[in-house]
Amino acid sequence: MHHPRRRLLARAPACLALAALLALPMAGPAGAQSGSFPSQPLRMIIPFGVGGLADISMRLVAQRLSDRLGQQVIVENKPGAGGVVAANAVLTAPRDGYTLAVFANGTAISKTLFKLPFDAEKDFTPISTAAYFDLVLLTKAQGKYPTLASLLEAGKQRQIVLGTINPGSTQHLSAELFKSMSGIQAMTVPFKSTPEVLTALLRGDIDVMFESYAALKGAIDSGQVTAVAATGHKRSSWLPKVPTVTESGVPGYEVEGWNALFAPAGTPPDRVARLNAAVNQVLQEPDIRKRLESLGTEARGSTPAELGQVLRRDVEKWAGVIRQAGIPVQQN
């Protein structure tokens, strides 16, 4: 006959094991919440239409991010002046790292140019830069200005006409910055679209146009136009023979466009770190770097802090250009 006390002692290990098992589900979700991110598809909201440089380049990044994260990254285009529609879509979603915003250097411009219902610096958390690109200054092939130096020399004698797309765009403000830094006589004329600017250049209505390489690659390759200078801090790999504006006679002039990934403020830091690591891994993949280069962009990641500095720097830079050009604040 077994003693009751001995029976209880014999059962004690089994009871303790059962108690431990019952406790596991209670601890599980808290651990899974931070450790298994992401556990569902993510959304990447782009404030531009389908087919543009930001859309194509960020879709390439999103595709590879899906592989890295083990969850689909769904790209949604929500264009609108100042990026308001896209920003609202991100800010009204849960701040859990599953809804992300694509910002560009235009976001920095918009802060001064538009009355916005959001503050890109305060309402969003930087994740990483993704791609950088410069603009090119183009003249008519076999025209009067085969080099930027010849254009600058002419600008001392008469008014040069600079053509760009719509007021407040990076292209337009780059031309305004060029006008102020070069000290030449110049007038900036904005058009509605890139094809309209190109037509004006070929017709002789303007002397030089400012645009991205991706937008004018066909005209450059076909010999319609000549790329006389690039706006970056160094020569690009896609146009290695084209000097920078600084090299060509305007010291200190530099304009770099960029695309980057942000999350809404309040997103858990460990999730921001996870996304940052994944983006930087994607941007180191040789085929991604090559495909982005073919679009006239350089794959370049960053830390969240570095991206925050880039945004602050460009907000200040373009605010000064907008004020000097006398461009009024636009209503959305």
Side-chain angles (χ1 to χ4, degrees):
M1 181 176 176
H2 295 287
H3 195 279
R5 181 174 172 77
R6 287 178 184 169
R7 283 200 299 269
L8 285 172
L9 289 171
R11 291 176 184 167
C15 292
L16 288 170
L18 179 61
L21 285 170
L22 290 172
L24 281 177
M26 296 175 66
Q33 195 170 11
S34 59
S36 62
F37 173 80
S39 58
Q40 65 189 52
L42 296 86
R43 297 164 67 211
M44 183 185 288
I45 312 297
I46 297 181
F48 309 106
V50 176
L53 182 60
D55 175 67
I56 295 170
S57 60
M58 293 308 293
R59 281 180 184 274
L60 287 173
V61 173
Q63 185 179 7
R64 290 304 171 85
L65 264 183
S66 299
D67 299 335
R68 291 277 177 183
L69 296 172
Q71 293 289 341
Q72 187 179 6
V73 179
I74 301 164
V75 175
E76 296 180 19
N77 298 83
K78 293 186 180 292
V84 173
V85 178
N88 283 342
V90 178
L91 293 176
T92 54
R95 303 186 176 211
D96 54 10
Y98 285 99
T99 306
L100 309 173
V102 171
F103 283 166
N105 52 294
T107 306
I109 293 169
S110 294
K111 184 167 180 178
T112 301
L113 192 63
F114 294 99
K115 286 187 176 179
L116 299 174
F118 70 93
D119 186 322
E121 294 181 86
K122 295 177 182 176
D123 297 333
F124 289 85
T125 296
I127 295 174
S128 175
T129 55
Y132 279 81
F133 56 94
D134 56 17
L135 300 178
V136 284
L137 279 66
L138 302 137
T139 59
K140 183 179 179 180
Q142 287 83 49
K144 293 181 288 184
Y145 308 115
T147 65
L148 188 60
S150 61
L151 183 86
L152 291 170
E153 189 59 35
K156 296 175 184 177
Q157 313 302 324
R158 70 170 186 88
Q159 188 177 67
I160 297 296
V161 184
L162 316 175
T164 74
I165 57 170
N166 54 299
S169 63
T170 302
Q171 292 89 330
H172 178 238
L173 295 180
S174 297
E176 290 289 350
L177 182 63
F178 175 80
K179 182 170 73 172
S180 65
M181 289 187 69
S182 65
I184 63 172
Q185 302 175 60
M187 175 177 65
T188 306
V189 179
F191 294 79
K192 288 182 180 179
S193 67
T194 298
E196 288 182 39
V197 192
L198 178 60
T199 298
L201 181 68
L202 298 177
R203 203 165 46 207
D205 297 339
I206 61 174
D207 298 304
V208 61
M209 72 180 288
F210 288 67
E211 190 48 277
S212 69
Y213 167 73
L216 269 298
K217 185 178 185 299
I220 295 169
D221 291 348
S222 67
Q224 283 184 296
V225 296
T226 300
V228 294
T231 65
H233 71 284
K234 63 178 182 179
R235 296 190 185 197
S236 67
S237 57
W238 45 91
L239 288 173
K241 295 181 180 179
V242 176
T244 66
V245 175
T246 291
E247 285 180 275
S248 303
V250 188
Y253 181 93
E254 180 185 327
V255 174
E256 275 194 316
W258 47 266
N259 297 318
L261 208 57
F262 286 74
T267 300
D270 59 332
R271 297 190 175 187
V272 171
R274 172 85 174 96
L275 292 165
N276 174 269
V279 170
N280 277 275
Q281 287 166 357
V282 166
L283 297 174
Q284 289 302 315
E285 296 179 21
D287 63 325
I288 282 291
R289 298 181 71 83
K290 189 173 181 180
R291 290 176 73 181
L292 287 173
E293 185 177 312
S294 72
L295 296 171
T297 64
E298 177 191 353
R300 199 194 309 171
S302 72
T303 65
E306 288 167 344
L307 174 52
Q309 290 170 359
V310 168
L311 179 59
R312 279 192 297 276
R313 177 202 70 196
D314 277 11
V315 166
E316 292 175 8
K317 175 178 183 173
W318 294 120
V321 176
I322 290 167
R323 283 193 297 268
Q324 187 163 349
I327 302 171
V329 174
Q330 312 290 308
Q331 298 291 336
N332 270 318

